[in-house]
């Protein structure tokens, strides 16, 4: 699941707005994962976060030979 570093979150809400699965909400101005089973692992929350507060712990890389 995406890992949130709450001390880095500035409450901008960008990750919530890009999450097509609605897996994220804001609670007391800090993002929280509510529906982790709905997370499609699109990594958009990580990509959009300006402070690096969300990280998706791995990416699948397809290597071409
Ligand atoms: S990886 Fe995608 S689906 Fe999962 S919480 Fe982030 S934005 Fe939502
Ligand atoms: S995009 Fe980053 S800083 Fe903004 S609410 Fe989400 S986790 Fe917090």
């Amino acid at each position: 699941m995406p890992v949130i570093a709450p001390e880095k979150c500035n409450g901008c809400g960008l990750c919530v707005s890009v999450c097509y699965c609605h897996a994220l909400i804001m609670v007391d101005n800090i993002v929280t994962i509510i529906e982790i089973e709905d997370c499609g692992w699109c990594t958009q929350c990580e990509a959009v976060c300006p402070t690096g507060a969300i990280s998706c712990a791995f990416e699948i890389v397809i290597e071409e030979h």
Side-chain angles (χ1 to χ4, degrees), residues 11-43:
C12 70
L14 284 173
C15 57
V16 177
S17 60
V18 298
C19 180
Y20 68 98
C21 294
H22 307 292
L24 306 171
I25 57 164
M26 302 303 294
V27 176
D28 293 335
N29 237 21
I30 293 177
V31 73
T32 303
I33 298 173
I34 49 164
E35 296 285 355
I36 193 58
E37 63 270 19
D38 289 346
C39 171
W41 208 256
C42 67
T43 73

